[in-house]
Amino acid sequence: MAIEPTRYIWMDGEFIPWDEATVHVSVHALHYGSNAFEGIRAYNVQGTPAIFCLDAHIRRLYDSCKVYRMEIGYTAEQLKAACIETVKRNQLPAAYIRPLVFRGAGTIGVDPRPCPVHVTIFTLYLGRYLGPEAVEQGVDVCVSSWGRMALNTFPGSAKIGGQYINSQLIKMEAVENGYAEGIAIDSNGFVSEGSGENIFVIRDGVIITPPLASSILRGITRQCVITLAQELGYPVREEFIPRETLYMADEVFFTGTAAEVTPIRSIDRIPVGEGGRGPMTKALQEAFFAITTGEQEDRYGWLTPVT
Ligand code: PPE
């Protein structure tokens, strides 16, 4: 997604013009990947922007920072208010919000603790992540030759910039080979997730998704989809998933803030089910989009209106 500048960026407590939100080349995060971030959507809900799962995203940001000993100098309430205000000031009807906590300039050396912690939030317009037709037609993906990091190498459920170097390898390889996305295998040989999405597999009406112990990010859309599946009466289980389960599935789909609910229509050129979007995936998408468009009531309190 190409970045189209918006007007204001929140940086360390103040709104500044887009072009002024710069850093020095010596910042620790640039050298060592020491940053935590979130990707949050604001949907256009019947004409008013509303931020999706703001509390859960801000909570995860604090969780990620805690693991890496980054002290955020603001309360969660302050950061939530800043996200709301950034969308408002940029007059966006819908947006992708990117809060970023990073280690600034101070020392050169691996230990980040002498470096100050900065917090910034910018917003962008964002359309469909995996292409405009992806949500209806589904995407063609591969199993990556790059594995997801082992549990004792990186904390997979912390959303840390440096860890996305692994995602970059997965994504580049997939795109170079003509696929929309790659699926990583965990260090025990089980299915983990896409470079920027969680994965769900359906067979005989049962939905399965990898557990946190498969080095996945604790996806917020993943949790929403589990909730909606349960409401629809679909059995959902968190289970270790062997690779071949992907090829034998009736339906497979990705979830993520950017990807939303995206069907997978083929894996390694093997069609998934009939090779398009399956009926349960469609029902889950409809339930999801009914909330994000405001067609149905926000019965789980997922939306924070920007007023
Ligand atoms: N796994 C990974 C590795 C991941 O990056 C994401 C989000 C997810 C799962 C889904 O998590 P959630 O958004 O909470 O449902 N990826 C974000 C960044 C994508 C990007 O290209 O940047 C996102 O979707 O915003």
Side-chain angles (χ1 to χ4, degrees), residues 53 224 227-232 291 297-303:
C53 293
C224 292
T227 301
L228 293 172
Q230 285 164 341
E231 187 185 302
L232 287 166
I291 292 178
E297 188 205 342
D298 174 26
R299 56 201 175 280
Y300 300 108
W302 288 340
L303 296 167

Side-chain angles (χ1 to χ4, degrees), residues 1 37-40 57 60 96 98 126 129 148 156 159 164 167 193-198 216-223 255-260:
M1 41 186 138
F37 69 100
E38 277 301 320
I40 314 174
H57 281 283
R60 189 171 63 190
Y96 186 72
R98 174 54 63 86
L126 174 66
Y129 183 57
R148 187 85 172 134
K159 199 167 168 69
Y164 276 80
S167 287
E193 61 178 352
S195 76
E197 309 86 4
N198 292 112
I216 64 164
L217 187 73
R218 189 200 296 265
I220 289 160
T221 321
R222 171 182 182 272
Q223 191 52 53
T255 64
T257 298
E260 301 172 298

Side-chain angles (χ1 to χ4, degrees), residues 13-284:
E14 278 175 55
F15 283 99
I16 56 174
W18 178 278
D19 289 336
E20 290 173 24
T22 55
V23 296
H24 193 259
V25 291
S26 66
V27 299
H28 198 272
L30 206 49
H31 296 257
Y32 306 107
S34 38
N35 72 74
F37 69 100
E38 277 301 320
I40 314 174
R41 270 191 195 257
Y43 284 98
N44 182 344
V45 180
Q46 317 275 310
T48 305
I51 303 180
F52 190 70
C53 293
L54 181 58
D55 289 5
H57 281 283
I58 297 299
R59 183 178 181 202
R60 189 171 63 190
L61 186 64
Y62 279 85
D63 286 342
S64 302
C65 287
K66 194 170 183 190
V67 179
Y68 281 88
R69 300 170 206 268
M70 277 190 274
E71 196 73 51
I72 300 179
Y74 303 91
T75 64
E77 288 312 313
Q78 285 173 315
L79 290 193
K80 285 184 227 171
C83 287
I84 294 168
E85 190 62 27
T86 310
V87 174
K88 205 197 285 187
R89 289 217 186 191
N90 287 305
Q91 297 173 335
L92 296 164
Y96 186 72
I97 308 166
R98 174 54 63 86
L100 173 72
V101 180
F102 66 95
R103 288 281 184 183
T107 54
I108 200 85
V110 171
D111 188 349
R113 291 171 302 162
C115 302
V117 175
H118 298 284
V119 187
T120 174
I121 302 168
F122 68 76
T123 54
L124 301 170
Y125 176 74
L126 174 66
R128 296 283 183 234
Y129 183 57
L130 296 171
E133 276 97 51
V135 163
E136 276 170 37
Q137 313 285 314
V139 290
D140 301 306
V141 309
C142 59
V143 172
S144 184
S145 72
W146 292 103
R148 187 85 172 134
M149 58 271 208
L151 290 169
N152 62 347
T153 60
F154 292 96
S157 57
K159 199 167 168 69
I160 298 296
Q163 299 181 184
Y164 276 80
I165 283 293
N166 172 250
S167 287
Q168 289 179 33
L169 292 170
I170 295 163
K171 184 76 178 190
M172 284 190 290
E173 181 192 56
V175 172
E176 288 284 338
N177 289 326
Y179 299 101
E181 185 54 285
I183 299 166
I185 301 296
D186 73 19
S187 59
N188 294 311
F190 296 107
V191 173
S192 178
E193 61 178 352
S195 76
E197 309 86 4
N198 292 112
I199 193 165
F200 287 77
V201 180
I202 304 175
R203 182 170 161 114
D204 294 337
V206 178
I207 305 177
I208 56 172
T209 194
L212 286 186
S214 276
S215 301
I216 64 164
L217 187 73
R218 189 200 296 265
I220 289 160
T221 321
R222 171 182 182 272
Q223 191 52 53
C224 292
V225 163
I226 291 173
T227 301
L228 293 172
Q230 285 164 341
E231 187 185 302
L232 287 166
Y234 298 153
V236 192
R237 296 201 299 252
E238 288 185 47
E239 256 176 33
F240 292 110
I241 302 179
R243 176 173 176 168
E244 67 274 20
T245 302
L246 295 173
Y247 307 119
M248 298 174 188
D250 299 325
E251 303 180 36
V252 183
F253 62 89
F254 280 138
T255 64
T257 298
E260 301 172 298
V261 181
T262 298
I264 294 174
R265 67 178 176 194
S266 75
I267 302 170
D268 296 328
R269 309 275 178 228
I270 300 175
V272 175
E274 313 273 291
R277 174 174 64 180
M280 286 172 67
T281 307
K282 184 163 182 275
L284 287 164

